């Protein structure tokens, strides 16, 4: 941190002239020494000075959970004033989207500290913005609902979406899977990964390709190179992560991994979701001709066969076992062939196994 | 047609911050013009005088630095989007509401509108843009647009008073608030609104006034007892002022229905015209303003001989005043010309504020039975011959008066008001 000039110190004091002397001195010390422990005093002091007169100006009763709007009566424009003042004082810049995520005093402090510590680092300076969702918020967005809802809190950072699922042991599907030996079906682990991917499509398709996707407009399309490595049993917390590889309406391709304590439980190299109103309309017909995709550049979009990897899970296999080793899991594709829209197979194609229909239905129809 | 009456007045002006002070100043010809330190201390500013608004201070664009009378509680949220002109207007608005005895429900309903006139705050705009250039866009004041543009007056007042009826902002230079008044009268007479607030307001500082020195429109006089001097041969330009003025224009039946006991005046009619002549100067023969006056008298259904007093637009510029005298000569036959004075010789020229402020003065004149004089005249311009300019107090309680306003670009408005008699 470059030490401030005398003039900058004067400007700093002018900027903070309605704050308490303690706040001003803490700000001067921070600008001079870069000591992060001064930040709470500075930030609280700036917030305090902007509080409406009818609210107590004493923040000693407040804690990190104190909410700016609900508890302190700060309106959105006052928040903007506060941010401008903090920016001036600490030399950081706050973007609109970041501003919207700040709701509590604790978040303000953490945010400012993070901004300052990452300031000179070009990589960290502009991290992909992380959007966080509580389980409730995820549930409000996804079409899947309990008992077929396998996500807890989630976050999206650029092309990556993460969530988790903790196997409680009370799930209905454990009763028969297997006798006296409860194991989460591998198909449902992939389902959980699919649900994370579904969240990404619902939340990010608009900004990536300009398509606003509605809740019930996302469908499972295909899966390739899916492998199951370890059993998931009651008490396990599965960490689920998908990365968007390609997105082009009406298809989004993901790579997905489920881990437990950092150990790989399942991996899918290509998990493809179809989305958009045309897809839904197409699949809602009684007879399901294949989904006709715009002959887009999505590589490998036309996968002839859906390959749920549940076969691997049906057997109490010992990892590592590849889905490809099982007869049903064999994936065939011709990388050189021009993707033929006619080949694009959607769920519900006649002759599919009932369990696949259920899987797909719960994935968005 | 319905009848439009004035039931409330509010003034924040150089000659007084309430009706009583204004009345006293007008009766005694007490000037609101002062030597303004900010002008005389700056060698680059060629003028000295300003019609200052007393009791208000705006040392910076930070609203927390502002000083103003503690008459009303001003919350941060209320002050934050304001400019000086908005704050003046807010005070005048509160006065007018009290004066008219309006309840919250009578202010906030679909039948009550608000017409504002304002030139924007050059001061806020300039300082905002300074920050914009110095500190970057994202660290500019968040209110930089809405406290600077001419619309800031209604932008602030509509939410502040929860106005639900017709809203318009007028930007026709120095005739703005007369256009606002005329439009309000039309809305009330047509039955489209039961009452309409008419608000004129301007800043009062270096940025709102000094730029007029560039076109040599301002008086360089140093003595506030000598200038401005409309209709005098020595007149050398106008003296600026600012402030806020509010009139409550109300449908007569609506006013009676809510039990109004005091009506200031009735607006009988109004007229408007354009010169089609020049960006700054009025048409020398006054033909544009003359047409506005004739139209106003026709709308009011009064004969020229019935008009007893004209509050002139006369700003004390050589061209403007003579143009107006020619207009009066043309609109009123010789021998039927009303008494005429310019109250701008006491207040200074309030630009967008002028029309509403002077219509308010006309209400006081009708109600209190006097006519204000045209101050500082020691050498009446001979071209005024045949037009009775009031250079000394006269004993007259007029029944019908007229207010004139003209603006840059050649806009003219004339309003006819009548003393209220039950």
């Amino acid at each position: 941190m470059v030490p401030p000039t005398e003039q900058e110190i004067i400007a700093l004091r002018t900027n903070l002239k309605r704050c308490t002397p303690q706040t001003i001195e803490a700000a001067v010390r921070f600008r001079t020494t870069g000591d992060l422990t001064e930040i709470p005093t500075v930030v609280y002091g700036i917030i305090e000075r902007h509080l409406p007169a009818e609210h107590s100006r004493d923040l000693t009763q407040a804690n990190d959970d104190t909410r700016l709007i609900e508890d302190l009566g700060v309106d959105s424009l006052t928040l903007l004033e506060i941010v401008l003042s903090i920016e001036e004082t600490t030399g950081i810049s706050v973007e609109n989207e970041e501003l919207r995520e700040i709701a509590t005093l604790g978040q303000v402090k953490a945010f400012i500290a993070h901004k300052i510590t990452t300031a000179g680092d070009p990589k960290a300076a502009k991290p992909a913005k992380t959007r966080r969702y509580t389980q409730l918020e995820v549930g409000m967005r996804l079409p899947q609902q309990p008992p077929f809802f396998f996500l807890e809190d989630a976050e999206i950072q650029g092309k990556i979406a993460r969530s988790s699922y903790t196997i409680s042991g009370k799930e209905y599907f454990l009763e028969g899977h297997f006798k006296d030996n409860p194991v989460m079906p591998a198909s449902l682990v992939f389902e959980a990964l699919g649900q994370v991917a579904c969240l990404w499509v619902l939340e990010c398709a608009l900004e990536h390709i300009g398509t606003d996707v509605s809740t019930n407009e996302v469908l499972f399309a295909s899966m390739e190179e899916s492998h199951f490595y370890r059993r998931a049993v009651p008490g396990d917390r599965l960490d689920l992560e998908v990365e968007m590889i390609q997105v082009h309406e009406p298809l989004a391709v993901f790579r997905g991994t489920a881990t437990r304590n950092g150990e790989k439980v399942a991996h899918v190299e290509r998990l493809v979701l179809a989305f958009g109103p045309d897809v839904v309309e197409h699949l809602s017909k009684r007879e399901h001709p294949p989904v006709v995709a715009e002959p887009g550049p999505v590589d490998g979009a036309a996968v002839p066969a859906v390959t749920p990897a549940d076969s691997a899970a049906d057997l109490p296999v010992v990892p590592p076992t590849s889905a490809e080793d099982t007869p049903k899991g064999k994936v065939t594709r011709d990388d050189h062939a021009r993707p033929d829209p006619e080949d694009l197979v959607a769920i519900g194609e006649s002759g599919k196994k009932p369990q696949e229909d259920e899987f797909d239905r719960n994935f968005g129809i | 047609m319905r009848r439009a009456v004035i039931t409330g007045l509010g003034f924040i002006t150089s000659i007084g911050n309430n009706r009583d002070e204004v009345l006293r100043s007008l009766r005694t010809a007490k000037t609101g013009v002062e030597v303004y330190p900010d002008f005389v201390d700056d060698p680059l500013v060629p003028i000295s005088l300003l019609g200052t608004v007393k009791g208000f201070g705006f040392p910076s664009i930070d609203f927390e630095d502002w000083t103003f009378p503690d008459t009303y509680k001003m919350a941060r949220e209320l002050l934050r989007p304001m400019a000086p002109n908005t704050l003046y207007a807010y005070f005048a608005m509160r006065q007018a509401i009290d004066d008219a005895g309006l309840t919250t429900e009578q202010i906030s309903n679909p039948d009550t509108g608000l017409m504002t006139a304002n030139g924007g705050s050059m001061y806020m705009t300039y300082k905002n843009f300074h920050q914009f250039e110095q500190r970057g866009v994202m660290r500019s004041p968040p209110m930089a647009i809405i406290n600077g543009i001419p619309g800031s007056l209604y932008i602030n007042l509509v939410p502040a008073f929860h106005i639900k009826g017709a809203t318009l902002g007028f930007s026709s230079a120095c005739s703005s608030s007369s256009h606002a008044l005329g439009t309000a009268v039309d809305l009330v007479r047509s039955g489209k609104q039961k009452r309409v607030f008419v608000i004129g307001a301007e800043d009062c500082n270096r940025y709102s006034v000094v730029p007029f020195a560039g076109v040599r429109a301002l008086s360089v006089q140093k003595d506030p007892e000598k200038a401005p001097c409309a209709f005098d041969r020595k007149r050398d330009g106008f003296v600026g002022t600012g402030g806020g003025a509010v009139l409550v224009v109300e449908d007569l039946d609506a006013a009676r229905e809510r039990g109004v006991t005091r009506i200031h005046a009735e607006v009988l009619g109004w007229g408007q015209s354009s010169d089609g002549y020049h960006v700054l100067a009025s048409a020398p023969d006054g033909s544009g303003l003359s047409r506005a006056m004739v139209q106003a008298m026709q709308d009011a259904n009064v004969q020229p001989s019935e008009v007893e007093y004209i509050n002139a637009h006369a700003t004390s510029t050589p061209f403007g005043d003579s143009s107006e005298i020619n207009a009066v000569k043309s609109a009123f036959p010789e021998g039927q010309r009303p008494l005429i004075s310019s109250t701008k010789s006491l207040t200074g020229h309030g630009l967008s504020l002028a029309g509403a402020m002077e219509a308010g003065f006309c209400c006081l004149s009708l109600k209190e039975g006097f006519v204000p004089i045209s101050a500082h005249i020691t050498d009446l311009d001979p071209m005024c011959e045949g037009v009775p300019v009031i250079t000394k107090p006269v004993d007259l309680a007029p029944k019908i008066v007229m207010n004139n306003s003209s603006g840059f670009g050649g806009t003219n408005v004339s309003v006819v008001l009548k003393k209220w008699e039950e």
Side-chain angles (χ1 to χ4, degrees):
Chain A
M1 182 171 277
V2 184
T5 65
E6 201 168 307
Q7 274 176 334
E8 283 171 328
I9 294 289
I10 292 168
L12 180 65
R13 288 181 187 276
T14 310
N15 182 25
L16 297 175
K17 64 183 173 186
R18 288 191 187 80
C19 295
T20 61
Q22 290 90 326
T23 307
I24 296 172
E25 293 317 313
V28 171
R29 282 196 301 274
F30 168 72
R31 286 289 288 269
T32 315
T33 65
D35 181 1
L36 289 178
T37 59
E38 306 286 2
I39 285 294
T41 313
V42 174
V43 170
Y44 273 34
I46 289 171
I47 293 173
E48 215 165 55
R49 155 254 178 300
H50 282 96
L51 293 185
E54 57 270 29
H55 282 257
S56 161
R57 291 202 147 210
D58 181 13
L59 278 186
T60 52
Q61 304 299 313
N63 56 40
D64 281 359
D65 293 329
T66 302
R67 293 166 301 174
L68 296 167
I69 292 169
E70 296 86 344
D71 299 334
L72 297 178
V74 170
D75 68 5
S76 60
L77 280 168
T78 307
L79 187 57
L80 195 52
E81 288 182 284
I82 290 170
V83 166
L84 286 171
S85 183
I86 292 175
E87 285 187 331
E88 287 285 307
T89 307
T90 60
I92 63 162
S93 291
V94 181
E95 299 191 15
N96 289 353
E97 197 160 319
E98 297 170 327
L99 190 58
R100 274 182 227 117
E101 290 182 4
I102 296 175
T104 67
L105 283 179
Q107 283 169 349
V108 176
K109 274 195 302 186
F111 175 77
I112 303 298
H114 172 76
K115 290 292 269 196
I116 290 164
T117 48
T118 54
D121 178 358
K123 245 183 147 178
K126 282 212 165 177
K129 286 157 200 150
T130 304
R131 274 180 269 176
R132 293 186 175 80
Y133 306 84
T134 64
Q135 187 177 33
L136 183 67
E137 287 166 340
V138 177
M140 284 165 68
R141 285 165 173 76
L142 288 190
Q144 293 89 349
Q145 298 297 310
F148 209 80
F149 173 54
F150 301 117
L151 302 186
E152 293 163 345
D153 293 357
E155 64 178 38
I156 295 176
Q157 193 174 17
K159 294 177 175 181
I160 311 260
R162 294 186 194 91
S163 187
S164 58
Y165 180 67
T166 307
I167 305 167
S168 70
K170 292 179 181 150
E171 287 88 348
Y172 68 94
F173 50 77
L174 295 177
E175 269 185 41
H177 195 277
F178 301 95
K179 187 185 176 189
D180 302 329
N181 181 18
V183 174
M184 181 163 175
S187 59
L188 294 187
V189 175
F190 289 111
E191 164 69 17
L193 286 169
Q195 292 187 2
V196 185
C198 184
L199 177 67
W200 190 95
V201 170
L202 289 172
E203 289 296 290
C204 304
L206 186 61
E207 72 193 64
H208 279 257
I209 54 167
T211 307
D212 194 4
V213 183
S214 303
T215 302
N216 282 321
E217 291 177 353
V218 189
L219 306 169
F220 177 81
S222 72
M223 213 157 64
E224 283 175 55
E225 295 180 43
S226 43
H227 305 270
F228 202 70
Y229 298 91
R230 283 180 177 78
R231 283 199 231 185
V233 299
D236 284 354
R237 176 193 140 113
L238 297 175
D239 290 310
L240 310 163
E241 179 177 308
V242 299
E243 182 182 4
M244 191 278 294
I245 308 300
Q246 259 183 321
V247 59
H248 183 272
E249 192 172 358
L251 296 172
V253 183
F254 295 86
R255 180 183 296 126
T257 311
T259 54
R260 180 190 60 208
N261 296 329
E263 293 177 330
K264 208 183 268 183
V265 171
H267 178 82
V268 52
E269 190 57 28
R270 294 176 68 84
L271 187 157
V272 184
L273 299 184
F275 60 88
D278 296 345
V279 171
V280 174
E281 193 185 352
H282 190 73
L283 292 176
S284 300
K285 291 172 185 163
R286 187 160 283 279
E287 287 179 31
H288 299 297
V291 170
V292 179
E294 289 289 315
V298 176
D299 179 39
V303 178
V306 175
T307 313
D310 52 2
S311 51
D314 287 342
L315 308 166
V317 287
V318 177
T321 300
S322 168
E324 293 190 20
D325 295 341
T326 68
K328 280 198 292 176
K330 189 67 185 167
V331 173
T332 58
R333 57 181 287 200
D334 181 357
D335 285 335
H336 306 291
R338 164 103 182 133
D340 183 352
E342 291 298 315
D343 283 339
L344 193 76
V345 174
I347 307 313
E349 192 183 19
S350 58
K352 276 192 155 251
K353 298 202 315 184
Q355 70 206 66
E356 287 172 334
D357 286 339
E358 184 192 27
F359 184 84
D360 302 330
R361 190 164 52 248
N362 283 289
F363 222 103
I365 297 180
Chain B
M1 191 157 55
R2 294 177 168 277
R3 295 170 72 180
V5 293
I6 309 282
T7 56
L9 296 172
F11 297 102
I12 297 294
T13 71
S14 64
I15 60 166
N17 285 350
N18 58 56
R19 191 162 49 91
D20 290 344
E21 282 177 26
V22 168
L23 181 60
R24 208 175 307 128
S25 296
L26 288 175
R27 277 185 176 282
T28 59
K30 181 168 174 277
T31 185
V33 173
E34 291 182 310
V35 173
Y36 190 54
D38 187 37
F39 293 169
V40 290
D41 293 348
D42 185 341
L44 295 177
V45 173
I47 60 166
S48 307
L49 301 179
L50 182 69
T52 52
V53 183
K54 286 78 180 172
F56 290 78
F58 303 92
S60 81
I61 60 165
D62 183 350
F63 62 89
E64 290 176 297
D65 287 340
W66 297 351
T67 53
F68 44 86
D70 59 2
T71 326
Y72 310 111
K73 183 170 170 282
M74 302 293 293
R76 277 181 63 82
E77 296 75 31
L78 191 60
L79 270 172
R80 186 168 47 199
M82 285 189 171
N85 65 74
T86 335
L87 186 61
Y88 298 143
Y90 179 87
F91 272 67
M93 181 89 172
R94 291 286 298 264
Q95 280 178 29
I97 287 168
D98 289 346
D99 188 37
L102 292 167
T103 64
T104 314
E105 293 72 29
Q106 286 159 355
I107 296 163
S108 179
N109 62 67
D111 294 322
T112 300
L114 181 146
M115 308 279 126
T116 64
N118 171 239
S121 177
M122 308 286 187
Y123 172 57
M124 301 301 281
T125 301
Y126 174 76
K127 297 284 185 181
N128 285 330
F129 272 111
H130 182 72
Q131 285 199 23
F132 175 97
E133 297 290 359
Q134 297 292 311
R135 297 154 81 174
V137 182
M138 298 311 281
R139 293 201 185 154
S140 294
M143 294 296 167
I145 292 296
I146 65 163
N147 64 23
I149 59 174
S152 70
L153 202 46
Y154 75 79
I155 290 172
N156 275 277
L157 298 180
V158 165
F161 293 97
H162 308 299
I163 297 297
K164 302 270 175 62
T167 291
L168 267 176
F170 289 79
S171 186
S172 45
C174 304
S175 53
S176 290
S177 57
S178 287
H179 277 118
L181 174 58
T183 307
V185 168
D186 284 353
L187 285 170
V188 167
R189 292 206 297 187
S190 66
K192 287 180 176 167
Q193 294 278 278
K194 281 185 178 166
R195 67 189 67 81
V196 179
F197 294 99
V198 175
I199 300 136
E202 290 286 7
D203 285 9
C204 190
N205 53 45
R206 153 187 200 101
Y207 301 93
S208 66
V209 171
V210 179
F212 289 98
V215 287
R216 312 299 190 267
L218 298 182
S219 171
V220 295
Q221 256 291 343
K222 291 177 168 57
D223 183 353
E225 293 304 327
K226 288 184 176 162
C229 54
F231 305 127
D232 191 287
R233 201 143 63 164
K234 300 184 300 298
R235 67 184 184 272
D236 67 339
F238 76 84
V239 169
T241 190
V246 176
L247 298 100
V248 181
V249 180
E250 196 162 9
D251 171 56
L252 178 61
D253 293 339
R256 282 181 167 146
E257 205 170 292
R258 66 180 182 89
V260 166
T261 52
R262 184 183 58 188
I263 288 170
H264 292 285
E266 178 176 6
V267 185
L268 291 181
W270 73 296
Q272 58 174 327
S273 71
S274 304
D275 287 357
Y277 172 71
H278 192 266
V279 289
L280 296 172
S282 306
D285 61 0
S287 54
L289 180 55
S290 171
R291 274 185 281 120
M293 289 192 280
V294 169
Q295 197 189 91
M297 288 187 281
Q298 285 168 352
D299 186 38
N301 198 22
V302 300
Q303 298 303 312
S305 57
E306 294 178 80
V307 179
E308 293 167 275
Y309 166 70
I310 295 176
N311 186 306
H313 179 68
T315 64
S316 189
T317 60
F319 287 112
D321 292 10
S322 60
S323 166
E324 186 164 5
I325 291 293
N326 283 332
V328 171
K329 284 177 179 172
S330 139
F332 293 87
E334 201 168 353
Q336 295 182 18
R337 290 174 190 151
L339 293 173
I340 181 167
S341 73
S342 170
T343 47
K344 289 186 181 75
S345 293
L346 298 175
T347 58
H349 180 17
L351 311 169
S352 293
L353 160 71
M357 176 168 74
E358 287 154 21
F361 295 168
C362 286
C363 289
L364 297 181
S365 164
L366 291 165
K367 185 84 186 160
E368 304 294 332
F370 78 104
V371 285
I373 70 159
S374 214
H376 307 144
I377 296 176
T378 54
D379 184 9
L380 184 67
D381 190 330
M383 71 92 58
C384 296
E385 201 186 327
V387 178
V389 176
I390 313 169
T391 55
K392 294 190 186 75
V394 293
D395 189 16
L396 175 70
K399 286 195 161 54
I400 293 179
V401 304
M402 177 182 271
N403 183 42
N404 286 346
S405 296
S406 297
F408 278 165
T411 58
N412 306 288
V413 178
S414 208
V415 181
V416 177
L417 300 101
K418 184 170 183 282
K419 181 181 175 69
W420 181 253
E421 288 165 322
E422 286 293 342

